[in-house]
Amino acid sequence: MKPEAAPDHRREVVSFVRQRARMTPAQQRAWSDFGPRYLLEVPHGIGHGELAATEPLDTAAAFGREGELIVEIGSGAGDSLVAMAAERPDADILAFEVFQPGIAATMIKLDAAGVDNVRIIEGNGVHGLRQLFPEGSLFGIWVFFPDPWPKTKHHKRRLINSNFATLAASRLAPNGELLCATDWAPYAAQMRKVLDAEPLLINDHPGSWAPRPAGRPITRFEGRGERAGRDIHDLSYRRR
Ligand SMILES: C[S@@+](CC[C@H](N)C(=O)[O-])C[C@H]1O[C@@H](n2cnc3c(N)ncnc32)[C@H](O)[C@@H]1O
């Protein structure tokens, strides 16, 4: 089955803000040196991060093979991505990120670590999930330390909500795995509530939190949470 067409994104609430930070000269060099190796071009819309793609991604062409496909949304500076991709050489990992300096930093780390089973798309991962992947096509989806949007008036910006739960479940193959982590306890509770309520998902650890997934390192965001005395919550779900 084909992925869904791009809906009208103009009124959409998104889970990120456009940040002003520019790339450093080293990041600009990395963009031109490593971009051809790691960056995938897909059609963009006019909004920041908006993806206008309507055709499924040719993942065999993107990776030069057909491995088990994992999507990460909000890969930041790539700390989890590079370490976890290195642990899973048989998986093909597609990361979505809207922040260019983060993408450049990720490519520098991928090159330094010699990790080649990762491709990156600059853009909104929700659009990517919806428009680039057919139903039942993903082995895994990862969302680590998504922006917590702590103020009540911003809760609507949180990435993991019930719409996301339905979308993510639909893109996973049977037994495919959704992994999430956050240091923000109220967001962890929201994640568990909406993911538990999604009929296609099964919580691997009902009523409690999941163990840390293999190879997930302590990133800058996690370290900051820990130093502030916040507990880390991992969640792990499977598609029925
Ligand atoms: C708090 S950071 C965490 C980064 C990384 N996962 C980590 O643990 O270090 C959240 C990241 O998600 C990105 N982001 C938020 N919403 C996104 C979306 N819908 N699509 C792609 N990236 C997104 C932000 O730009 C930011 O880099």
Side-chain angles (χ1 to χ4, degrees), residues 7-18 47-50 98 124-127 130 147 149 151-161 163-164 167 187 190:
D8 184 348
H9 291 137
R10 278 169 302 187
R11 289 173 173 277
E12 190 180 31
V13 176
V14 294
S15 55
F16 50 85
V17 284
R18 182 174 213 143
H48 178 53
E50 181 181 336
V98 290
N124 188 336
V126 175
H127 298 182
R130 187 168 51 212
D147 301 290
W149 294 110
K151 290 185 183 158
T152 307
K153 67 175 181 185
H154 289 147
H155 285 180
K156 58 179 182 284
R157 283 180 168 273
R158 286 179 173 168
L159 177 65
I160 302 195
N161 55 26
N163 287 341
F164 179 85
L167 174 66
Y187 196 8
Q190 170 174 326

Side-chain angles (χ1 to χ4, degrees), residues 92-195:
D92 292 336
I93 305 175
L94 204 6
F96 289 88
E97 176 53 63
V98 290
F99 186 52
Q100 282 191 342
I103 295 175
T106 302
M107 293 195 288
I108 292 170
K109 289 172 195 160
L110 286 169
D111 175 67
V115 170
D116 211 27
N117 56 335
V118 169
R119 300 291 179 271
I120 305 171
I121 292 179
E122 180 188 357
N124 188 336
V126 175
H127 298 182
L129 211 49
R130 187 168 51 212
Q131 293 152 224
L132 293 172
F133 302 99
E135 287 188 11
S137 60
L138 299 178
F139 183 76
I141 299 174
W142 298 343
V143 184
F144 300 130
F145 302 93
D147 301 290
W149 294 110
K151 290 185 183 158
T152 307
K153 67 175 181 185
H154 289 147
H155 285 180
K156 58 179 182 284
R157 283 180 168 273
R158 286 179 173 168
L159 177 65
I160 302 195
N161 55 26
S162 52
N163 287 341
F164 179 85
T166 303
L167 174 66
S170 74
R171 269 35 183 182
L172 286 172
N175 213 32
E177 180 183 58
L178 170 65
L179 299 178
C180 307
T182 181
D183 63 326
W184 196 254
Y187 196 8
Q190 170 174 326
M191 289 179 183
R192 194 156 77 183
K193 188 170 166 203
V194 299
L195 297 173

